[in-house]
Amino acid sequence: MLDIKKIRKDPEFFKQKLATRGVKAEEIDEVIELDQKRRDLLQKTEALKAQRNDASKKIGEAKRNGESADDAIKETRELGDQIKELDEQVEANDEVFHDKMSRLPNIPHDGVPVSLTEEGSVELRKVGKIRDFDFEPKHHWDVGENLGILDFDRARKVSGARFVYYLGLGAQLERAVYNFMLDEHMKDGYTEVLPPYIVNAASMYGTGQFPKFKKGVYQVNGEDMTLIPTAEVPLTNYYRGDVIPAEELPVYVTALTPCFRSEAGAAGRDTRGLIRMHQFNKVEMVKYTKPEDSWDELEKMTANAENILKKLDLPYHVITLTTSDMSFTASETHDLELWMPAQNKYREVSSCSNCLDFQARRMHTQYRDENGKLQYVHTLNGSGLAVGRTVAAILENYQNEDGSVTIPEVLVPYMHGVTKITKENAVPFKK
């Protein structure tokens, strides 16, 4: 959440910055008006409370002097009714104010490319050599189905569209990929966490998914529980309401979890394959840092994600997303996009974002600076990486003309020495 004190002080700055994210100036005016109304109501309430205190003193004085206190008692009751009415107005005003404030996105960092669409992102670097195939490369879903390691049809029967069964060496490949990712992140100083997969509404609010993006998640009917759309939610909320000892910062954590997304609004997009699923595995990285360190930590986190792709020898590029394409909570986002030869284009596999104090304000996560004053931490998150999309890229980039798939060298130990997936060894029970 943004700082209302800063909005109050320089509304034009926020109007200009948030206009690049599609926010209308009237939305800023509304929160300023609601904030002013709240302060006016509180001022009236305080004045009435002072009057009631005076009336209460008169009651005491009258009783001590043996005089009638009826008028003062009547005044006290009337003032109490007025105060109660004003308190109700404050509560109603606060509800609207907090709802509107919670729907305002983060301020984009200076230098983030300005665009109201995803077009206009800036390529920072291109890494790896794109393979020159001497045959027509197949889409990963065709490679996987031909080998028998991906079964979308039976998943559709059992669950519905956008689900998949991994079988045999396909399942082992997925497991190899995420174990490799976790091991690499732990080498980079991250602590592995196994978090809850279901969280409450306060946690979803803390990281910015609620209230604006409720349609994109799966909720448990009749309960204040939501299946996580990303491990960012339980990892970042770990310190919700806490004061982190300054000497412990920065904190690095990583986790493998399933992620559940309804993909509302994604009808017709990536209906085949592993790119856009209702359930998928993802390794997440989260950092808590002091404000002065967060931009350096963003670059380190991006490098941590790139390390995975470099060791897998998969071609990719890094881009900085536009003001409207980055996530609601982000101030700046670097996306890593893998080369998918059958699609002849790059596809996102990781987003690394600096959220500044935006999430920390919603979660009340703080630390004490060198003067002992409470400050909000900065939070960062990044995919390290989306596992299914990485598997898809391996199937496409490492496919052979005979339909087999060569295992990237760094994954061979995780595959118990298997160097190639073929029809003969892919799924033992299908022999």
Side-chain angles (χ1 to χ4, degrees):
M1 185 175 288
L2 299 173
D3 185 348
I4 186 59
K5 293 179 182 177
K6 292 181 179 179
I7 295 177
R8 193 188 299 153
K9 186 176 180 180
D10 193 355
E12 290 307 313
F13 168 81
F14 283 86
K15 287 179 183 179
Q16 292 171 12
K17 279 290 191 179
L18 292 181
T20 68
R21 306 204 67 175
V23 176
K24 297 178 181 177
E26 301 86 75
E27 296 179 64
I28 307 299
D29 289 333
E30 285 177 358
V31 299
I32 292 173
E33 289 170 10
L34 288 164
D35 172 58
Q36 185 60 54
K37 182 179 179 181
R38 181 181 193 276
R39 289 190 291 156
D40 291 343
L41 288 170
L42 289 175
Q43 189 174 8
K44 290 178 182 178
T45 301
E46 291 303 314
L48 289 175
K49 286 179 179 178
Q51 292 180 42
R52 185 174 62 179
N53 288 338
D54 290 340
S56 295
K57 290 177 182 178
K58 290 178 183 177
I59 294 172
E61 290 174 1
K63 288 183 176 180
R64 281 193 298 272
N65 297 330
E67 301 171 351
S68 172
D70 291 350
D71 289 344
I73 291 172
K74 181 182 178 182
E75 182 183 5
T76 301
R77 288 173 179 167
E78 289 175 349
L79 288 168
D81 290 340
Q82 292 177 49
I83 290 168
K84 182 180 178 182
E85 183 180 345
L86 285 174
D87 285 342
E88 289 173 352
Q89 291 181 39
V90 170
E91 185 177 350
N93 185 81
D94 281 354
E95 187 175 340
V96 179
F97 171 77
H98 286 297
D99 180 69
K100 290 188 179 296
M101 277 291 290
S102 67
R103 294 174 187 272
L104 293 177
N106 204 351
I107 292 293
H109 188 228
D110 292 342
V112 171
V114 175
S115 174
L116 293 180
T117 70
E118 62 184 36
E119 300 297 325
S121 59
V122 174
E123 185 178 72
L124 300 179
R125 53 190 168 273
K126 194 174 289 184
V127 182
K129 183 180 180 182
I130 292 175
R131 178 180 170 187
D132 185 15
F133 287 85
D134 54 10
F135 61 93
E136 186 68 26
K138 292 182 173 64
H139 289 282
H140 67 272
W141 56 83
D142 288 328
V143 175
E145 287 179 325
N146 290 339
L147 286 170
I149 60 175
L150 298 179
D151 194 333
F152 295 96
D153 291 337
R154 284 186 173 84
R156 189 176 295 109
K157 175 184 67 175
V158 172
S159 300
R162 300 185 190 274
F163 290 92
V164 66
Y165 277 102
Y166 287 85
L167 302 171
L169 289 181
Q172 290 182 48
L173 178 60
E174 173 99 352
R175 178 157 52 94
V177 167
Y178 62 64
N179 281 333
F180 167 68
M181 291 175 178
L182 289 171
D183 286 349
E184 289 299 309
H185 293 323
M186 284 189 286
K187 290 176 187 175
D188 287 328
Y190 292 81
T191 297
E192 184 179 359
V193 178
L194 184 59
Y197 301 161
I198 302 178
V199 296
N200 56 32
S203 295
M204 293 293 284
Y205 175 84
T207 43
Q209 281 79 16
F210 282 3
K212 193 168 184 177
F213 303 104
K214 280 191 175 183
K215 290 183 179 180
V217 299
Y218 290 109
Q219 293 186 271
V220 180
N221 288 335
E223 296 188 41
D224 174 21
M225 303 298 279
T226 300
L227 276 68
I228 59 170
T230 166
E232 172 197 344
V233 181
L235 291 180
T236 308
N237 275 277
Y238 182 79
Y239 283 116
R240 173 158 51 91
D242 290 348
V243 177
I244 305 174
E247 63 271 17
E248 293 182 10
L249 295 172
V251 174
Y252 292 11
V253 287
T254 186
L256 162 76
T257 67
C259 303
F260 305 92
R261 300 183 186 179
S262 70
E263 290 297 344
R269 297 181 63 189
D270 298 307
T271 54
R272 299 197 66 185
L274 302 171
I275 298 298
R276 200 175 297 276
M277 309 290 286
H278 288 312
Q279 174 191 320
F280 59 93
N281 289 321
K282 181 157 68 76
V283 174
E284 186 75 4
M285 302 176 288
V286 163
K287 293 183 177 185
Y288 310 82
T289 77
K290 294 178 181 178
E292 61 268 25
D293 299 329
S294 65
W295 290 113
D296 285 340
E297 292 294 347
L298 175 61
E299 298 309 315
K300 290 179 184 178
M301 177 177 279
T302 305
N304 298 150
E306 287 187 73
N307 172 58
I308 304 297
L309 298 181
K310 288 176 180 177
K311 290 190 174 182
L312 289 172
D313 198 19
L314 289 168
Y316 69 94
H317 72 167
V318 183
I319 61 175
T320 299
L321 296 185
T322 66
T323 49
S324 62
D325 194 30
M326 61 185 178
S327 72
F328 174 80
T329 59
S331 179
E332 181 169 315
T333 298
H334 297 325
D335 260 16
L336 277 62
E337 295 186 333
L338 279 168
W339 178 253
M340 303 295 285
Q343 297 183 42
N344 197 37
K345 64 179 179 181
Y346 291 100
R347 300 302 304 266
E348 178 205 335
V349 72
S350 173
S351 288
C352 297
S353 301
N354 187 355
C355 300
L356 304 179
D357 62 358
F358 189 85
Q359 293 177 323
R361 285 181 178 279
R362 297 169 80 103
M363 298 183 301
H364 299 289
T365 303
Q366 300 171 299
Y367 76 102
R368 292 190 183 277
D369 64 18
E370 61 275 8
N371 298 315
K373 185 178 179 181
L374 284 173
Q375 304 286 356
Y376 288 106
V377 299
H378 281 192
T379 60
L380 299 90
N381 63 79
S383 314
L385 312 158
V387 181
R389 293 188 177 198
T390 306
V391 169
I394 290 171
L395 295 180
E396 289 199 15
N397 285 277
Y398 281 88
Q399 65 180 292
N400 303 306
E401 190 170 9
D402 63 0
S404 65
V405 174
T406 302
I407 302 298
E409 187 176 346
V410 292
L411 296 183
V412 172
Y414 294 88
M415 295 289 290
H416 305 290
V418 175
T419 59
K420 186 181 290 187
I421 303 176
T422 68
K423 283 190 175 182
E424 289 71 33
N425 70 357
V427 184
F429 72 75
K430 287 192 172 184
K431 283 184 179 179

